[in-house]
């Protein structure tokens, strides 16, 4: 169930009675004070806004081995999350945005997804600095707001590739312009992102979106210097493969298209992830078609993901013997082969999925999928 709520928080409302003297006042004087109070309330509402969103899900599989975080035990946390977004407008050009999200799969720990300062330069140009969204995908802006997408979960074959790096610390420059009755938006980002396994430095990303009333097309590209920081993974790569695990070149390409004139809904996206060394290179693709029938919208999704560099993580028995000998007894041949097999199992991908979905809009802002 996906819900989006919007409400207004007022910083302070003075008591009207406290401003009135003990002496009698005319109705005109009272009306003027009420009008001033309403004006102050309106100004407060324009300066500070609070938005909220939430998703609550249940998942179960007939497989004992978990795939996509789901096995044969009922799971109420994998797809559940709650978020709150606060916007403070200092003036017409400057604002501060903070988004806090708690995810069930992370034990409901709260993290700051967004925390940035935004400035409107004018003429369609704006800039951000701080913790911002990495605009890697067609649906990057809506990764956490389930109500904004037709799926119970965005296609994992595509959107799990950069899941730990949904956000980054850096800068964002966005320029929007009118092209006839349509809109073109160009975005440039620079920054850094990391998790427990990888560190992405000097991220450079560019994207362009052309949008009409019925369809939109998007092209995005990002490049970064990738370093393996997990001690176990780093030692396996360097000791078993003898290749470096720092400052590797990596890139990500996304091409997306959406057609949504009203009743029909169609969207598709192709992504390509490439990196040097034993880090997985993968191509992913999904396409979804749906049809709105009042409050209902059934959807059909086809998705694939396939790693393109499986041979780079292979090792023959003779190569394993040589690596074991070069380790000076730190590893046996069996250790080397087991380590390589583990890397291949975690990295090599070849999946295809067909998904059938149904969305029901229960009320404005709430959907059941």
């Amino acid at each position: 169930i996906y819900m989006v709520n919007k409400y207004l928080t007022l910083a302070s409302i003075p008591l009207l009675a406290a401003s009135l003297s003990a002496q009698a006042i005319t109705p005109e004087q009272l009306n003027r004070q009420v009008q001033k109070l309403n004006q102050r309330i309106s100004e407060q509402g324009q300066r500070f806004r609070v938005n909220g969103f939430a998703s609550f899900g249940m998942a179960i599989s007939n497989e004992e081995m978990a795939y996509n975080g789901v096995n044969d035990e009922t799971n109420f946390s994998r797809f559940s999350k709650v978020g709150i977004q606060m916007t403070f407008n200092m003036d017409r050009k400057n604002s501060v945005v903070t988004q806090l999200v708690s995810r069930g799969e992370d034990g409901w720990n709260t993290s700051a997804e967004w925390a940035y300062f935004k400035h409107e330069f004018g003429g369609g140009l704006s800039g951000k600095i701080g913790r911002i969204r990495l605009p890697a995908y067609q649906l990057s802006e809506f990764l956490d707001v389930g109500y904004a997408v037709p799926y119970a979960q965005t296609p994992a074959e595509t959107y799990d590739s950069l899941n730990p790096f949904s956000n980054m610390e850096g800068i964002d420059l966005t320029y929007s312009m009118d092209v006839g009755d349509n809109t073109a938006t160009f975005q440039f980002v620079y920054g850094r992102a990391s998790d427990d396994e990888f560190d992405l430095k000097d991220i450079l990303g560019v994207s362009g979106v052309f949008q009409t009333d019925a369809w939109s097309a998007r092209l995005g590209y990002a490049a970064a210097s990738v370093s393996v920081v997990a001690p176990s993974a780093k030692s396996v790569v360097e000791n078993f493969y003898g290749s470096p695990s720092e400052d590797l070149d990596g890139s990500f390409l996304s091409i997306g298209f959406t057609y949504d004139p009203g009743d029909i809904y169609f969207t598709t996206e192709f992504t390509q992830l490439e990196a040097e060394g034993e880090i997985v290179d993968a191509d992913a693709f999904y396409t979804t078609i749906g049809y709105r029938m009042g409050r209902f919208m059934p959807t059909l999704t086809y998705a694939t993901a396939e790693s393109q560099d499986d041979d780079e993580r292979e090792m023959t028995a003779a190569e394993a013997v040589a690596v074991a000998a070069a380790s000076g007894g730190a590893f046996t041949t069996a250790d080397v082969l087991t380590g390589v097999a583990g890397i291949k199992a975690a990295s090599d991908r070849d999946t295809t999925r067909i998904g059938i979905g149904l969305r029901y809009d229960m009320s404005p802002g709430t959907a059941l999928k």
Side-chain angles (χ1 to χ4, degrees):
I1 299 176
Y2 300 86
M3 298 183 292
V4 178
N5 297 316
K6 181 177 292 186
Y7 53 90
L8 183 64
T9 299
L10 302 179
S12 61
I13 303 177
L15 294 176
L16 182 60
S19 66
L20 299 180
S21 61
Q23 64 182 6
I25 62 172
T26 66
E28 290 77 9
Q29 291 174 320
L30 180 62
N31 286 334
R32 283 196 297 271
Q33 294 205 30
V34 170
Q35 291 174 0
K36 290 180 179 179
L37 177 61
N38 288 334
Q39 183 178 0
R40 292 180 62 182
I41 293 175
S42 178
E43 291 173 352
Q44 291 283 0
Q46 293 173 3
R47 294 189 66 186
F48 186 63
R49 298 196 313 274
V50 178
N51 299 329
F53 58 87
S55 301
F56 303 99
M58 182 187 74
I60 190 170
S61 167
N62 66 342
E63 295 290 340
E64 185 176 350
M65 181 69 71
Y67 171 72
N68 194 23
V70 180
N71 58 14
D72 59 356
E73 295 184 1
T74 305
N75 189 324
F76 290 95
S77 61
R78 174 68 176 91
F79 303 115
S80 297
K81 67 187 72 173
V82 176
I84 184 171
Q85 180 172 317
M86 295 167 285
T87 303
F88 178 68
N89 297 310
M90 291 174 283
D91 51 46
R92 296 180 60 184
K93 292 188 175 182
N94 301 297
S95 60
V96 174
V97 177
T98 303
Q99 185 185 93
L100 305 177
V101 179
S102 300
R103 293 183 172 83
E105 61 180 335
D106 295 333
W108 295 105
N109 293 323
T110 302
S111 61
E113 298 294 298
W114 297 353
Y116 61 81
F117 170 80
K118 181 178 181 181
H119 177 74
E120 297 285 350
F121 294 97
L125 179 65
S126 64
K128 301 174 185 175
I129 184 169
R131 184 166 176 81
I132 58 178
R133 179 74 79 199
L134 175 62
Y137 298 107
Q138 182 174 226
L139 298 175
S140 285
E141 288 293 321
F142 314 111
L143 290 180
D144 292 320
V145 187
Y147 181 81
V149 298
Y151 312 98
Q153 183 203 18
T154 52
E157 291 74 15
T158 295
Y159 283 81
D160 275 7
S161 297
L162 294 180
N163 184 47
F165 311 108
S166 300
N167 305 295
M168 56 177 279
E169 282 75 37
I171 60 173
D172 172 312
L173 289 176
T174 301
Y175 176 68
S176 296
M177 59 181 291
D178 294 331
V179 182
D181 295 331
N182 309 310
T183 303
T185 303
F186 304 94
Q187 193 171 10
F188 166 83
V189 296
Y190 173 78
R192 184 172 185 172
S194 63
D195 70 347
D196 294 335
E197 296 184 16
F198 299 98
D199 184 10
L200 276 59
K201 295 174 288 187
D202 295 325
I203 300 172
L204 280 172
V206 292
S207 66
V209 180
F210 186 82
Q211 187 165 10
T212 72
D213 290 337
W215 61 268
S216 66
R218 180 185 183 277
L219 175 64
Y221 179 82
S225 175
V226 184
S227 295
V228 181
V229 296
S232 58
K234 186 174 182 179
S235 63
V236 167
V237 170
E238 294 181 345
N239 291 317
F240 290 175
Y241 290 100
S243 57
S245 58
E246 296 184 359
D247 298 328
L248 307 173
D249 291 334
S251 64
F252 187 80
L253 171 71
S254 169
I255 303 173
F257 176 82
T258 298
Y259 178 68
D260 187 5
D263 294 338
I264 299 174
Y265 177 84
F266 173 82
T267 187
T268 185
E269 186 173 11
F270 168 80
T271 61
Q272 184 177 71
L273 174 65
E274 293 184 345
E276 292 180 335
E278 283 65 45
I279 300 175
V280 63
D281 297 349
D283 292 351
F285 168 81
Y286 73 88
T287 186
T288 298
I289 187 168
Y291 188 79
R292 294 183 178 89
M293 298 178 293
R295 294 188 177 186
F296 291 92
M297 185 173 76
T299 60
L300 176 65
T301 299
Y302 174 80
T304 65
E306 184 176 2
S307 50
Q308 303 296 313
D309 59 344
D310 298 352
D311 58 329
E312 294 184 8
R313 290 178 291 276
E314 293 178 351
M315 182 176 288
T316 65
E319 290 172 332
V321 170
V323 171
S327 70
F331 303 103
T332 65
T333 302
D335 292 335
V336 175
L337 291 175
T338 300
V340 170
I343 292 177
K344 287 182 62 62
S347 303
D348 295 357
R349 304 181 66 188
D350 187 5
T351 62
T352 300
R353 179 168 61 92
I354 296 176
I356 297 175
L358 178 65
R359 172 181 176 136
Y360 172 66
D361 285 286
M362 302 171 63
S363 63
T366 307
L368 175 68
K369 305 177 187 180

